[in-house]
Amino acid sequence: MKPSERYVSLVTYYAERAGLPPDLAYRQMLAESSANPNAVSPSGAQGLFQLMPATARELKVQNPLCPEQSIRGGTEYLAGLLYRIRAKWPTISEQDSLKMALAGYNGGIGYVYAAARALPLANGEAPTWDAIAAELPNVVFKGKKPDHKQIIGYVGKIMPS
């Protein structure tokens, strides 16, 4: 059994519990950590789902290096972002909402919202992922620009068009 296969049942369980497609959550885990439960990024993100310490605390993940806690926390966090996006834009497509949630997970939901604010949308109209991705290079949120190439590449790795 490959190391990544050892987490399939946990990812499936927690993804389904959170209302996410299990295959999406599994691809996200691979993109985040290559299925290394001890992964730590230069920015301090930890575990299979690369939770930042503040996010881990918010999700009540006591040990982000514990595979089960990381999977639970990561799937709950992505599901929460997805809920926020769908609540904001009820007419958004399934694919666009998933891609925006992934972008928010990777780079911060503030950048997604800032990109949407810059778009010429009619009242109540939902943005598309393509429009958000095109606007990301121009976004400044809280005085910072996103690493738009990294965010767009991340989303494309998990959800190829």
Side-chain angles (χ1 to χ4, degrees):
M1 175 183 299
K2 292 192 293 191
S4 59
E5 292 172 353
R6 134 179 19 149
Y7 304 115
V8 170
S9 62
L10 279 174
V11 171
T12 299
Y13 172 77
Y14 284 108
E16 287 176 347
R17 189 172 120 170
L20 298 172
D23 61 317
L24 174 85
Y26 185 76
R27 289 191 310 271
Q28 182 188 16
M29 179 193 71
L30 294 177
E32 286 290 346
S33 67
S34 299
N36 176 1
N38 299 311
V40 178
S41 78
S43 63
Q46 301 175 320
L48 290 169
F49 274 79
Q50 290 293 281
L51 298 170
M52 292 297 287
T55 304
R57 282 191 300 277
E58 180 182 313
L59 296 164
K60 297 182 179 22
V61 171
Q62 295 175 351
N63 179 4
L65 299 178
C66 168
E68 186 165 3
Q69 289 183 43
S70 183
I71 292 166
R72 179 191 55 78
T75 54
E76 284 179 8
Y77 185 55
L78 182 63
L81 292 170
L82 190 58
Y83 175 84
R84 289 170 59 188
I85 288 165
R86 290 177 176 165
K88 187 170 188 66
W89 299 296
T91 61
I92 196 165
S93 77
E94 175 84 8
Q95 292 294 308
D96 285 336
S97 65
L98 288 168
K99 289 178 179 182
M100 286 184 219
L102 288 166
Y105 190 105
N106 180 259
I109 195 68
Y111 291 124
V112 173
Y113 288 159
R117 281 193 297 276
L119 297 174
L121 298 172
N123 192 21
E125 182 183 4
T128 64
W129 166 246
D130 289 341
I132 294 292
E135 189 58 37
L136 277 176
N138 307 314
V139 167
V140 176
F141 179 70
K142 293 186 178 180
K144 294 182 180 179
K145 292 183 77 60
D147 185 345
H148 65 278
K149 289 180 183 176
Q150 200 278 324
I151 294 169
I152 293 166
Y154 174 84
V155 171
K157 184 176 185 179
I158 298 168
M159 290 189 67
S161 297

